[in-house]
Amino acid sequence: MTSTAGTVPVVDPGDPGAPGEPDALVDVAASGRRRGRTAYLLMAPAVLWLALFFVIPFYSLIAASLYDPSGSDEDGWRMAYAFGNYVDAWQDYWQPFVRSIAYGGIATVICLVLGYVLAYAIAFKTGRWKTLVLVLVIAPFFTSFLVRTLSWQLILADDGWVVDVLRFLQLLDDDGRLLATDVAVVTGLAYNFLPFMVLPLFASLDKIDHRLIEASSDLYSNPVVGFFKVTWPLSLPGVVSGTLLTFIPAAGDYINAQLLGNTNTRVVGSVIEAQFTDANQPYVAGALSMTLMVVIVGMVLVYVRRAGTEELL
Amino acid sequence: MSLRVEAGVEAADGTAYDGLRLRALTKRFASFTAVRGIDLDVPRGSFFALLGPSGCGKTTTLRMVAGLDAPTSGTIELAGKDITGAKPYRRPVNTVFQNYALFPHLDIFENVAFGLRRRKVDGVDKKVAEMLALVELDAQARKKPAQLSGGQQQRVALARALINEPEVLLLDEPLGALDLKLRRSMQIELKRIQMDVGLTFVHVTHDQEEAMTMADTVAVMNGGLIEQMGSPAELYENPRSTFVANFLGQSNLIEGRVTGRSADEVTVDMHGIGVSVPVGRAHTDGQQGWVGIRPEKVLIGDAGSKLDAPGNTIPGGVVSDVSFVGVSTQYLVRMPWGQELMVFAQNTGRDKIFRHGDPVELSWRPEYAFLLDHSQDVRAGAQEDG
Ligand SMILES: Nc1ncnc2c1ncn2[C@@H]1O[C@H](COP(=O)(O)OP(=O)(O)OP(=O)(O)O)[C@@H](O)[C@H]1O
Ligand SMILES: [Mg+2]
């Protein structure tokens, strides 16, 4: 203000009679209120949506998990704070539960390894074909999840070429099979969720300034060391979001286990589905759903904390 | 292009050159030759500036020395060893990048320690602390690069390269992003550091003042070629091309016809006025040439007065513009042949200040004039705002 005093008539800010100043304050406040209203208006649809389709179902899910087990569809279900449901459900179904987490975890690791290499190649090596290759990665999504999973039944079938080759190489016994095994389930999961891993990884890698990698080689890092000291840490945000986007749906998925597995590969998703429908024990399904949700959220929190990515995310 | 090597000529006994030596270095991109066979000798321990306008190939040259771009042809030798094909991480060369390229995920301390850690040097903590003290960043050691100001980031980039004590430190317009004041103080700082550590610095810039004030030797680059190389004073006082004459400071270039050559001087007829140029400052064999004279070397006086007797005297000028800039008065004087010449008169208080329309005559001592090849573009290298 003082610097312009010579050229522009300036009103002393301390002067109570100064025109303009109070108006200006009112204006700021008014525009602040207006901005606040706009923010609420913009948020309203999402809030409404969440209330309708998340909060209410979530509440009824909790309620269902605490129903009195002696109820039935005919007699109706009664909310009874039956926490024992959780213990019973866990005792009966801990195996599919653990299997879900294990399948999801293994599939995520496979996706991370394959996806990282793929995303790295797309970001750094494809040059002007980058967009095309990215489209190819996403292209399978244009067909249905179910169809893609079913086609793996053909690929892994006992008389398919994959089994033939593995038998020929003695990697599989002559009567060994792939379909209806753990391997098939994990393979299906890894295949179906790979793009969820590749896309965030690509976004992270593509953002890396190539000059940083040059700087690392100028500072005595061979390509391998440069990768671990610069590229990998800078791609961590992609690794974290990619693993979360893969693990969370993969751990809850049961289509792959149903289509590519057998009764010994039953996952918790299948149990929940069966308990809600045919078995008519919504309290078991509810308790398992809640447990799964709590376990996954807990694992995610620990993971994000460990990765120290508050600022990366 | 033929090249005059003025510094660091190989020792007569045949021992290897201990500085950085480029020979016929060429870089061709798909459709474009960025560097056209340059020869350069950078003496060990010197502050060497590579000066040239934007796009002339300075960065490309540095990148080849650093090993980040492979030369199309030519060789790079460092302390007698051919490093043309060596990987960048095997060269005793470090770079301060044009955009700094600091590692955003590492704090300042780890950025500076990066090179030492890769080479598994002992005593990293102590060395880094010393280096941070040298660039006055001790207080910022645990901050991330994004939390620093531009000038601080620039110093981190310098420290990160300098700490490795490379044979050659390459600086690619490290001061380009700084404001004028910070730039001047960093120039002094850089020069001081270079003298303290005694390393070879190759400093790229398109700011002629920066090159002149900092460097022991300046190579002027233009269109992928080295136009001239030498000490700042040599380049300024005796430019060999119109580009150098115009790019470093300002010059009056007047068309003339060579009328005679003797053992020690060349006489030139300049629109009917005879002037002479010492042989060592005449850079053309042709019949025509550009007579060059720096504006501050031109004396101005009333028409008909006797100016500095032994000089070349050019009568018939009329003052067409006067600007008083404090330390000097800058005149434009229209000559009988229509050209306007620049004259900078020191404001000593003894000389009269001329006014627009005054008839004047000009004079300069022959030993300050130079003669350039007529085939060169008289406007080459001239700054628009100059
Ligand atoms: N990778 C490349 N592919 C094609 N042309 C390039 C490439 N790199 C540089 N060039 C061209 O080579 C020329 C020299 O570029 P360079 O970066 O060496 O210029 P410079 O002297 O450093 O300029 P500045 O002062 O603007 O940084 C420019 O015309 C540029 O367009
Ligand atoms: Mg450059």
Side-chain angles (χ1 to χ4, degrees), chain A residues 209 211-212 214-223 225 229-230 233-234 311, chain B residues 63 88-89 91 93-95 97 99 101-105 114 118-119 160 164:
Chain A
D209 185 347
R211 291 172 294 194
L212 295 175
E214 289 188 343
S216 79
S217 78
D218 188 61
L219 292 163
Y220 313 102
S221 310
N222 63 38
V225 173
K229 294 297 175 186
V230 178
L234 289 176
E311 52 183 311
Chain B
R63 288 176 57 84
Y89 48 92
R91 299 183 187 208
V93 171
N94 290 113
T95 310
F97 290 90
N99 60 329
L102 300 178
F103 302 121
H105 59 296
F114 196 90
R118 300 294 83 75
R119 286 185 302 156
R160 186 179 70 171
N164 303 296

Side-chain angles (χ1 to χ4, degrees), chain B residues 61-143:
Chain B
T61 306
L62 280 203
R63 288 176 57 84
M64 288 192 283
V65 175
L68 301 173
D69 274 340
T72 309
S73 63
T75 59
I76 304 167
E77 255 179 57
L78 186 55
K81 261 181 36 206
D82 187 331
I83 57 163
T84 315
K87 298 278 187 223
Y89 48 92
R90 298 243 167 75
R91 299 183 187 208
V93 171
N94 290 113
T95 310
V96 180
F97 290 90
Q98 196 160 5
N99 60 329
Y100 313 149
L102 300 178
F103 302 121
H105 59 296
L106 299 177
D107 63 21
I108 301 313
F109 188 96
E110 285 306 320
N111 263 280
V112 174
F114 196 90
L116 297 181
R117 295 213 194 281
R118 300 294 83 75
R119 286 185 302 156
K120 312 217 167 16
V121 173
D122 290 332
V124 171
D125 287 0
K126 187 164 161 290
K127 287 189 174 126
V128 174
E130 281 170 11
M131 184 50 66
L132 287 176
L134 180 74
V135 296
E136 292 166 13
L137 283 174
D138 352 27
Q140 326 290 336
R142 292 298 164 199
K143 288 191 182 166

Side-chain angles (χ1 to χ4, degrees), chain A residues 62-108:
Chain A
I62 296 178
S65 74
L66 299 173
Y67 282 164
D68 180 349
S70 61
S72 70
D73 279 353
E74 294 81 51
D75 308 341
W77 295 99
R78 204 168 49 80
M79 164 72 174
Y81 295 102
F83 288 100
N85 290 344
Y86 282 80
V87 180
D88 295 341
W90 179 254
Q91 275 171 351
D92 291 346
Y93 298 110
W94 66 271
Q95 278 173 316
F97 196 97
V98 170
R99 218 176 271 134
S100 283
I101 302 289
Y103 286 162
I106 297 169
T108 303

Side-chain angles (χ1 to χ4, degrees), chain B residues 27-35 52-63 69 98 172-173 204-206 221 224:
Chain B
K27 178 69 190 181
R28 207 170 9 252
F29 293 111
S31 58
F32 181 80
T33 308
V35 176
S54 189
C56 72
K58 304 181 297 290
T59 297
T60 308
T61 306
L62 280 203
R63 288 176 57 84
D69 274 340
Q98 196 160 5
D172 192 356
E173 303 205 31
V204 157
T205 177
H206 59 237
M221 205 170 170

Side-chain angles (χ1 to χ4, degrees), chain A residues 290-301:
Chain A
M290 286 305 297
T291 312
L292 185 65
M293 197 180 313
V294 167
V295 166
I296 288 181
V297 168
M299 289 175 73
V300 165
L301 285 181

